[in-house]
Amino acid sequence: MDIANLFFLIIGVVTVLLSIALLGVSLIEKEFFAAKRSIWLGIAGILLLVPAWWSWEGVSIMALAIAVVLAITAFYLFWPYSRKIKIDDWATQIDERDIMFSRARMAPDSDRFKEYYQRKPENYILDKKWRKLPGLMSSNSKLNHRLLYAAADAGFATVEALHPLVETNRKANTKANYSEKELTTFIKKWAQHLGALDCGITVIKENHWYSHIGRGDEYGNEVRKSHKYAIAFTVEMSKEMMDSAPKAPCVMESSLQYLKAGTIATHITEFIRNMGYDARAHIDGNYRLVCPTVAVDAGLGEIGRMGLLMTPKHGPRVRVAVVSTDMPLIANKAQRDTSVIDFCRICKKCADLCPAQAIETGDRKELDGSLRWQINSEKCFTYWCSSGTDCGRCMSVCPYSHPNNWLHNIVRWMIRYFPNFRKVALIFDDFIYGRKPKTKPFPNWIPSK
């Protein structure tokens, strides 16, 4: 057997082993479409083994030529150079009164309603459309599911019950005598013990704060910038639940993870007060900080095409909460991951499959002093008000949302360090899981209606 045939043998064996591994992982994940495709991959690997047994001269020359091409391709794909991708910090503050959740809470014809739309008449025209629709978790919505809507509403109501705890004047009279390192290590590890995936700390920047409060009794007031540090953490959203997006399980899962994040945040906030320091929890419906931008600077991920935090091991399939404090802590030295931005640039799967067509398909643009993608929040929210759910289709189809296991982590690692591999990874993901994966059925313990 010559060198060319030996090369073919190695490639064939690796392909067959990869198909077996992918088949096993796919069956565990109940990804039956992927399982079928992995079988086809295995057949291709077996066909690659055939040249290894070819012995006549003409075929050996052909095998050598193909082997050389494969070797050059492999060198190209796994050349670990650094591709220059510009990443900007968020340049300006956001006025919370402008976000969709704040606008949705305003009662029509109220003083707040009139004042806002007199100041922002362009938004009045945009908002007229979704105000005529049934609304989030409405019984008249297209995807109405009374059981799951009731469960989701219970979760959001419980989060709201935590709001009186996010900011109080209560704290111990004396400050505990622990070093910055001890406090930082304890909070990070404890957050994970409480159920957080990852936890990071950053010094709060001006652009992290909302400029004005957009919800609650303090509506319209300027945000008080009182703390130095922010503790950001993520919690995982169930892939099984999100795979049924945009149907009702996704809004049920959203409320559950907002509740989990809120509980962890208020728990840590109370702990910090017990240690003699001031703290505030920033949870669903009661924010003073823009959590995703804080999370980026805390080293938890990057903001992707869909406008959500993209984490290294779970992609956008997370919820974020933050605790701000004057407790002395050690901030993370966040290393920005340009590979996520580069992959989002070429992928576009979330944009192609967005039911509302609210996600841009083009490259990033200069907006408010920073280079980024901007989703059309009015289109997105209009779809929510029609379907009755918070959709989540972009989360469910994102290649980064695959389960956190050894096989997907290897692919994520290669995407991060080998720029030329990213397009191949996307092609492979489209082949194995489908370019337009179908919405999956409800988990078997949930009735379909």
Side-chain angles (χ1 to χ4, degrees), residues 44 159 189 207 295 301 329 334 375 392:
V159 174
K189 295 296 183 182
N207 64 292
L329 299 169
I375 70 163

Side-chain angles (χ1 to χ4, degrees), residues 178-186 229 327-330:
Y178 290 90
S179 69
E180 294 177 350
K181 183 177 180 180
E182 288 173 320
L183 293 171
T184 299
T185 300
F186 179 81
Y229 296 101
M327 174 181 275
L329 299 169
I330 301 173

Side-chain angles (χ1 to χ4, degrees), residues 134-177:
L136 191 62
M137 295 186 295
S138 168
S139 59
N140 296 321
S141 62
K142 291 180 180 178
L143 300 178
N144 175 46
H145 191 300
R146 182 173 180 179
L147 181 71
L148 300 192
Y149 281 7
D153 189 57
F156 288 123
T158 309
V159 174
E160 193 166 348
L162 294 173
H163 287 181
L165 301 176
V166 302
E167 187 172 24
T168 70
N169 293 323
R170 188 191 69 79
K171 63 180 179 180
N173 293 326
T174 58
K175 295 179 179 178
N177 186 24

Side-chain angles (χ1 to χ4, degrees), residues 133-318:
L133 297 172
L136 191 62
M137 295 186 295
S138 168
S139 59
N140 296 321
S141 62
K142 291 180 180 178
L143 300 178
N144 175 46
H145 191 300
R146 182 173 180 179
L147 181 71
L148 300 192
Y149 281 7
D153 189 57
F156 288 123
T158 309
V159 174
E160 193 166 348
L162 294 173
H163 287 181
L165 301 176
V166 302
E167 187 172 24
T168 70
N169 293 323
R170 188 191 69 79
K171 63 180 179 180
N173 293 326
T174 58
K175 295 179 179 178
N177 186 24
Y178 290 90
S179 69
E180 294 177 350
K181 183 177 180 180
E182 288 173 320
L183 293 171
T184 299
T185 300
F186 179 81
I187 284 177
K188 286 184 176 181
K189 295 296 183 182
W190 190 39
Q192 292 177 321
H193 183 68
L194 291 172
L197 286 174
D198 294 299
C199 181
I201 296 171
T202 185
V203 175
I204 299 176
K205 301 176 181 177
E206 183 75 11
N207 64 292
H208 290 159
W209 299 100
Y210 280 111
S211 63
H212 293 80
I213 299 169
R215 288 177 273 193
D217 295 337
E218 295 185 72
Y219 179 92
N221 293 346
E222 290 188 9
V223 172
R224 298 185 298 275
K225 307 173 183 64
S226 54
H227 296 144
K228 181 178 180 180
Y229 296 101
I231 304 159
F233 63 88
T234 56
V235 294
E236 181 180 3
M237 299 183 73
S238 163
K239 187 174 189 305
E240 182 183 36
M241 297 289 277
M242 295 310 298
D243 277 346
S244 63
K247 296 181 180 177
C250 66
V251 71
M252 177 182 170
E253 181 66 12
S254 289
S255 73
L256 175 61
Q257 299 312 323
Y258 276 128
L259 175 57
K260 184 176 182 179
T263 302
I264 295 172
T266 52
H267 197 158
I268 292 174
T269 299
E270 286 295 318
F271 155 75
I272 292 173
R273 292 169 185 153
N274 288 341
M275 297 291 285
Y277 297 94
D278 192 35
R280 190 193 197 281
H282 303 263
I283 66 176
D284 182 53
N286 201 313
Y287 299 107
R288 298 294 181 266
L289 289 165
V290 183
C291 291
T293 60
V294 174
V296 168
D297 288 326
L300 301 187
E302 296 289 342
I303 306 297
R305 180 181 289 276
M306 65 185 75
L308 301 176
L309 181 72
M310 299 281 290
T311 61
K313 294 184 179 179
H314 297 84
R317 197 166 43 81
V318 297

Side-chain angles (χ1 to χ4, degrees), residues 29-43:
E29 295 175 1
K30 298 180 180 179
E31 292 279 2
F32 301 116
F33 180 87
K36 292 177 184 178
R37 290 300 178 94
S38 65
I39 293 173
W40 284 108
L41 184 65
I43 293 172

